[in-house]
Amino acid sequence: MTGVRAMTLYRRDGRATVFLAGEIDADTAPAVGAAVDDSFSRETGDVDIELADVSFCDASGLNVFLAAALNADASGRRLRLRHPTPAVRRVFDLTGTATLLDAAQAEPPYRPQDFAPMSPVPGPLAASGDQ
């Protein structure tokens, strides 16, 4: 088990992107859930979860994403799970939950370095997470 790393970047438009890397399992799912919950609590916009660097995801991770999708829907927002690796896609395909995955897979994955630096503003931090 390699663990999981999470970093969240917040944009001025109220949208957040949570970058995940590593393995999501029963040991690491609580940290993933906390990162996703934090992004919803800090911002009022939609949340993207970038999965391009996730090498493994089991039912624990799926449960985190399902809970987050329900949370987003209840608050009138959207959760987009972007660029799942084959290992992640397999979990969604086997459980019939693939409709949660963002359909715009042709776009390249988001990378933290692709975001322009933000000037300091009052309110939420520009980036947070465990690297």
Side-chain angles (χ1 to χ4, degrees):
M1 175 176 52
T2 63
V4 69
R5 290 182 322 275
M7 179 178 65
T8 304
L9 295 178
Y10 299 94
R11 297 183 241 174
R12 290 190 187 278
D13 65 359
R15 179 180 217 99
T17 299
V18 180
F19 295 89
L20 298 176
E23 298 179 358
I24 306 172
D25 58 21
D27 291 332
T28 61
V32 172
V36 174
D37 289 347
D38 186 59
S39 67
F40 275 112
S41 69
R42 287 181 184 250
E43 294 295 334
T44 58
D46 296 341
V47 173
D48 294 333
I49 299 177
E50 184 58 62
L51 300 169
D53 294 324
V54 174
S55 58
F56 176 81
C57 181
D58 68 8
S60 302
L62 175 64
N63 285 334
V64 167
F65 298 136
L66 291 173
L70 288 173
N71 218 1
D73 191 51
S75 62
R77 301 184 322 183
R78 183 172 176 213
L79 174 74
R80 295 188 328 163
L81 302 175
R82 299 175 48 87
H83 304 100
T85 58
V88 174
R89 181 169 285 287
R90 179 172 159 75
V91 172
F92 284 88
D93 288 340
L94 288 173
T95 59
T97 56
T99 57
L100 289 175
L101 299 172
D102 184 36
Q105 298 304 319
E107 298 174 25
Y110 293 146
R111 300 287 181 198
Q113 61 270 26
D114 295 336
F115 286 76
M118 293 177 58
S119 58
V121 293
L125 300 174
S128 67
D130 176 13
Q131 290 189 31

